[in-house]
Amino acid sequence: MKVTGDFYAYLWPGLTNAEMQAYGNNCNSYIVADALPGGRHVLVDPGMITNETGMKCLDRLIAGMEEDGLRIEDTGLIINTHAHPDHYGASEEVRKLSMAQVAIGKEEDDFVRMILDEGESGMNQPGFELPRLYPDFYLTEGDLRLGEKHLAEIHHTPGHTKGHIGIYWPGEKVFMAGDLIFYGSTGRVDLPGGNAKMLKKSIERVAGLDIEYLFTGHQYGGPGIIKGKERIESNFNSIRANIFAYL
Amino acid sequence: MSDKNGEIRSTLDIVMERAHSFGTLSKDESRRLREKELITAGEALAKRYLDGLPMREIETEVQKRDEDDQDMIVKYFLSGLFDAIDVENIRETELALAGIMQFSGRPDPADKIKALLDEYKSILKKTWKDNLGRLKEQKRIELKSFGISGSAVEPLAENSLEWLKIRSELNTDYNKRLYELKK
């Protein structure tokens, strides 16, 4: 679904409890089309290949892109906001299909390696194998220039995970939040690497940006994209008032 | 289902016939079957050990077997551990070596393998250090050619094609030497 300019969204169903149960977990994926030379796209958070309910998440993303005239094979860069499998799980599979470059925050890569090498953490349990990730580069706080058209800012937004990043596109006033903030709620802080104090700090930092489109990582009972400066501000206020005290 | 005489035989008939034939196995066939079972048991124990089963559990498992079978199981347990030795999987290799040393009670050839692995790790570290700057710069140039640049980009050398090639050549060389020691 085209949102604005070259920005496309592929939202995982979850607006209602019934939808959440029927579709299971996966993240929202976003595309910045034709951002790189050769008409190649940037894909933010590819999601999983298949989730816990057996839903073929990657096939659904590919089909959604095709409806918009975009091909997964034309992906030139995959950015993962953080190293939870529901966000980066299909990363290497998309790379195979497209030969895209893969990026993530350094601490996130360290986290995946620690789990895979040591078999630590409850995330690597029998019957569930953490997907591999072989990044080509890390993304740290700073500017990300993509082709001739786009300049993005990478914001280190720890709290949900240690090396979580958000991507701000000042030209279009789009912020891709990953699992930092949702409609009316925030990312969990009780998983390994989570930190409530850091999450609040990251949210306050992002609240200071000039955002017209807030692209969130999930539709947990609310819309995945919040449009309009006022509604976005109101969402930040509601989270401060209703969620911060419980973090 | 029909046989060559056109008689209809059920699956049960066939199973019963085969089960019956077990009773008439020659001594040689029985020995071979038994040996096959012990090989599988030994190799399975090696796999479980490498997956994290503690050594004392392995010893208990072996002791549960008939005394006559224990040597054969240990032989194939050790063989499974030798097979797991590979420079591309240092963690598993070190675990395998510890198992070999403890179970065989013989420091040789595990000591020689350990020395070779230490040499490999040291050479790998040096090669990485010598090439890191160049590989990172090369990756930065490659990313730029894909239209990706900026202060947020920190190129990674270890997944670059050139480093994988350098490492693979080193691994091939050391795996050859390991193979000689394992023989």
Side-chain angles (χ1 to χ4, degrees):
Chain A
M1 159 184 95
K2 185 170 180 157
V3 182
T4 179
D6 298 329
F7 291 73
Y8 291 77
Y10 300 94
L11 305 176
W12 188 255
L15 282 171
T16 61
N17 275 335
E19 258 187 9
M20 280 191 258
Q21 276 177 7
Y23 286 87
N25 187 33
N26 189 42
C27 74
N28 298 328
S29 302
Y30 299 101
I31 289 271
V32 186
D34 198 18
L36 298 169
R40 290 168 77 82
H41 320 308
V42 175
L43 167 61
V44 176
D45 285 344
M48 284 190 270
I49 298 175
T50 306
N51 71 4
E52 78 283 4
T53 61
M55 284 283 169
K56 299 204 175 303
C57 309
L58 180 58
D59 287 351
R60 189 181 163 93
L61 169 65
I62 294 171
M65 286 174 67
E66 279 170 1
E67 278 176 29
D68 292 327
L70 305 170
R71 295 180 342 133
I72 197 84
E73 292 86 353
D74 293 333
T75 306
L77 170 62
I78 302 158
I79 299 178
N80 298 291
T81 58
H82 61 291
H84 284 169
D86 57 338
H87 286 255
Y88 83 92
S91 213
E92 292 300 328
E93 188 60 29
V94 176
R95 183 214 292 274
K96 271 190 223 156
L97 297 169
S98 62
M99 301 295 285
Q101 299 291 300
V102 174
I104 194 164
K106 182 180 183 315
E107 293 94 335
E108 299 301 288
D109 188 34
D110 292 343
F111 177 71
V112 174
R113 283 171 201 237
M114 180 194 78
I115 294 174
L116 290 173
D117 291 348
E118 305 296 330
E120 283 177 9
S121 158
M123 296 180 86
N124 222 13
Q125 291 168 343
F128 175 78
E129 201 179 320
L130 200 68
R132 293 264 166 191
L133 189 69
Y134 304 100
D136 294 284
F137 65 98
Y138 292 141
L139 280 169
T140 58
E141 184 88 22
D143 293 336
L144 174 63
R145 185 167 286 286
L146 298 166
E148 299 295 319
K149 286 195 288 183
H150 293 285
L151 180 68
E153 292 172 9
I154 300 300
H155 289 258
H156 181 213
T157 49
H160 179 59
T161 62
K162 231 175 179 175
H164 189 288
I165 54 168
I167 309 144
Y168 181 53
W169 307 80
E172 298 79 8
K173 297 183 180 175
V174 169
F175 186 75
M176 295 175 177
D179 280 0
L180 175 71
I181 189 167
F182 309 122
Y183 180 82
S185 68
T186 70
R188 291 171 62 170
V189 291
D190 58 332
L191 295 170
N195 182 312
K197 205 173 155 189
M198 299 291 262
L199 188 89
K200 287 182 201 172
K201 207 172 156 189
S202 296
I203 290 173
E204 289 302 357
R205 223 181 121 212
V206 170
L209 297 170
D210 182 11
I211 307 171
E212 283 290 341
Y213 297 89
L214 182 63
F215 287 11
T216 72
H218 295 274
Q219 308 200 98
Y220 288 146
I225 297 175
I226 309 172
K227 289 181 198 168
K229 203 170 168 54
E230 272 182 31
R231 287 187 69 206
I232 291 167
E233 270 178 16
S234 154
N235 191 56
F236 278 118
N237 287 332
S238 154
I239 285 164
R240 281 188 196 104
N242 304 314
I243 308 288
F244 271 19
Y246 298 99
L247 287 173
Chain B
M1 196 175 292
S2 63
D3 65 8
K4 60 185 174 184
N5 299 321
E7 289 171 6
I8 305 294
R9 292 189 306 158
S10 71
T11 307
L12 184 64
D13 291 334
I14 295 166
V15 169
M16 291 305 285
E17 276 171 29
R18 285 186 186 168
H20 179 71
S21 73
F22 279 125
T24 60
L25 285 177
S26 71
K27 270 190 180 172
D28 240 20
E29 283 170 327
S30 305
R31 191 182 48 76
R32 269 206 303 275
L33 269 179
R34 185 87 189 121
E35 200 173 309
K36 207 175 161 191
E37 191 230 320
L38 296 176
I39 291 171
T40 308
E43 287 173 347
L45 270 186
K47 191 182 176 312
R48 288 171 68 197
Y49 168 72
L50 294 170
D51 284 344
L53 191 71
M55 185 53 88
R56 62 177 180 282
E57 302 277 338
I58 301 286
E59 284 165 346
T60 312
E61 291 284 329
V62 173
Q63 279 157 12
K64 276 186 203 163
R65 296 300 191 122
D66 290 348
E67 220 159 288
D68 294 347
D69 295 342
Q70 288 182 10
D71 279 354
M72 180 75 100
I73 290 183
V74 168
K75 182 181 164 191
Y76 283 97
F77 166 70
L78 291 173
S79 154
L81 295 189
F82 271 111
D83 284 348
I85 292 172
D86 187 305
V87 294
E88 293 193 35
N89 195 340
I90 294 287
R91 196 189 73 85
E92 201 163 88
T93 294
E94 283 173 349
L95 199 59
L97 281 177
I100 291 166
M101 285 173 113
Q102 187 167 338
F103 240 92
S104 66
R106 288 173 47 213
D108 188 76
D111 264 356
K112 281 185 185 163
I113 291 176
K114 197 174 175 312
L116 186 68
L117 282 175
D118 287 343
E119 181 189 314
Y120 164 78
K121 281 194 271 184
S122 151
I123 296 277
L124 184 69
K125 202 172 166 186
K126 187 180 178 310
T127 312
W128 172 248
K129 210 172 151 191
D130 292 349
N131 286 281
L132 183 60
R134 187 179 59 82
L135 289 170
K136 272 195 170 184
E137 194 42 40
Q138 212 170 11
K139 185 71 197 179
R140 191 180 293 282
I141 293 166
E142 184 192 54
L143 287 170
K144 202 160 185 183
S145 76
F146 294 139
I148 302 163
S149 61
S151 61
V153 176
E154 195 186 304
L156 254 171
E158 67 178 278
N159 295 325
S160 74
L161 284 178
E162 188 171 354
W163 171 245
L164 294 177
K165 194 171 161 238
I166 292 172
R167 199 175 162 161
S168 155
E169 280 166 12
L170 200 65
N171 288 354
T172 306
D173 177 30
Y174 274 84
N175 271 333
K176 261 188 207 159
R177 291 167 66 184
L178 263 181
Y179 180 72
E180 289 304 313
L181 285 179
K182 286 201 276 184
K183 273 203 296 189

